């Protein structure tokens, strides 16, 4: 199976959809933020605070190279800025989880761990800036995506089922 690479804005539900996909398929799953945190043995928030965003983006670049060369049969969920990696399309079929900005923020806020979810994401600290970032990125996400899944008002399970159906064409 060709890898599937999940892209989309922070908080859109990439992790939740990935967990449902692996329950209902043969895919293995990995997450680029988790890989980076374990390589560095520190949280994303600490990496941003201690070494800055550019350093983090370099780690994403190393991760992207490794994924392209070494990973197969895997659903790869990514941080919201990972889509900028030049070799993205070489890693696998690109699936965008799409939703309006307001719906994403509502989704995060109604989560039982909302405070933690907001705190661990440095780029969500200022919602006005986050919205600008969303508006700048959305057309770029759409341009890169082989498949777009509108996740608004859908359960993670329904999104996972839709994903599995649509990726068959690209396998
Ligand atoms: C980022 C998104 C985060 C994480 C980092 C930067 C971004 O991942 O990679 O805080 O640039 O959008 P999530 O999309 O999982 O929140």
């Amino acid at each position: 199976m060709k890898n599937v690479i999940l892209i989309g804005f922070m908080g859109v539900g990439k992790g939740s959809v990935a967990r449902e996909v692996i329950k209902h398929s043969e895919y293995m799953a990995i997450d680029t933020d988790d890989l980076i945190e374990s390589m560095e043995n520190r949280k994303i928030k600490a990496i941003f605070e201690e070494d800055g965003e550019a350093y983090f983006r370099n780690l994403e670049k190393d991760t992207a190279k490794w994924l392209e060369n070494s990973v197969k049969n895997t659903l790869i969920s990514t941080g919201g800025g990972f889509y900028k990696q030049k070799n993205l399309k070489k890693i696998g079929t690109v699936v965008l989880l799409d939703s309006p900005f307001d719906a994403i923020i509502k989704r995060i806020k109604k989560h039982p761990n909302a405070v933690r979810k907001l705190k661990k994401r440095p780029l969500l600290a200022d919602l006005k800036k986050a919205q600008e970032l969303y508006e700048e990125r959305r057309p770029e996400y759409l341009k890169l995506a082989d498949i777009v899944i509108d996740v608004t008002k859908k359960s993670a399970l329904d999104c996972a089922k839709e994903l599995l159906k649509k990726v068959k064409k690209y396998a």
Side-chain angles (χ1 to χ4, degrees):
M1 287 184 301
K2 198 173 160 188
N3 294 321
V4 173
I5 179 148
L6 269 189
I7 64 166
F9 202 67
M10 291 171 270
V12 77
K14 288 164 289 185
S16 311
V17 172
R19 282 186 285 279
E20 290 299 337
V21 169
I22 55 165
K23 267 194 232 161
H24 298 92
S25 70
E26 301 291 310
Y27 285 101
M28 282 293 286
I30 51 180
D31 178 277
T32 58
D33 283 345
D34 291 346
L35 287 169
I36 288 171
E37 287 187 344
S38 63
M39 273 194 298
E40 288 278 306
N41 194 26
R42 54 185 173 153
K43 297 287 180 196
I44 303 290
K45 190 169 181 272
I47 300 175
F48 268 72
E49 280 167 6
E50 291 160 18
D51 290 302
E53 182 172 347
Y55 178 84
F56 174 75
R57 299 297 172 202
N58 253 322
L59 295 171
E60 287 194 315
K61 194 171 171 191
D62 294 342
T63 308
K65 271 190 227 144
W66 175 76
L67 289 169
E68 182 188 342
N69 296 327
S70 311
V71 173
K72 289 196 182 84
N73 304 325
T74 299
L75 178 88
I76 301 157
S77 49
T78 64
F82 192 85
Y83 76 100
K84 293 211 173 178
Q85 296 309 317
K86 300 263 180 296
N87 63 339
L88 192 79
K89 306 280 272 189
K90 289 192 187 147
I91 300 173
T93 306
V94 179
V95 178
L96 169 65
L97 300 189
D98 188 37
S99 190
F101 182 74
D102 290 349
I104 294 176
I105 298 304
K106 230 192 215 164
R107 179 181 178 275
I108 298 178
K109 286 193 170 160
K110 76 169 197 219
H111 197 278
N113 279 332
V115 174
R116 199 176 59 83
K117 285 198 169 278
L118 282 168
K119 261 203 181 149
K120 74 169 194 180
R121 296 178 161 105
L123 300 177
L124 275 186
D126 176 337
L127 284 187
K128 196 170 163 277
K129 278 201 192 132
Q131 180 157 14
E132 282 165 15
L133 190 63
Y134 172 90
E135 272 151 25
E136 179 190 312
R137 282 181 179 175
R138 188 162 179 269
E140 297 174 8
Y141 287 146
L142 287 167
K143 216 188 280 169
L144 280 164
D146 297 306
I147 294 166
V148 180
I149 298 180
D150 179 358
V151 303
T152 319
K153 293 190 179 153
K154 282 185 204 153
S155 68
L157 176 59
D158 285 344
C159 297
K161 284 184 182 159
E162 188 176 329
L163 181 151
L164 287 168
K165 207 163 142 196
K166 289 184 171 166
V167 292
K168 270 192 197 144
K169 234 177 60 189
Y170 294 83

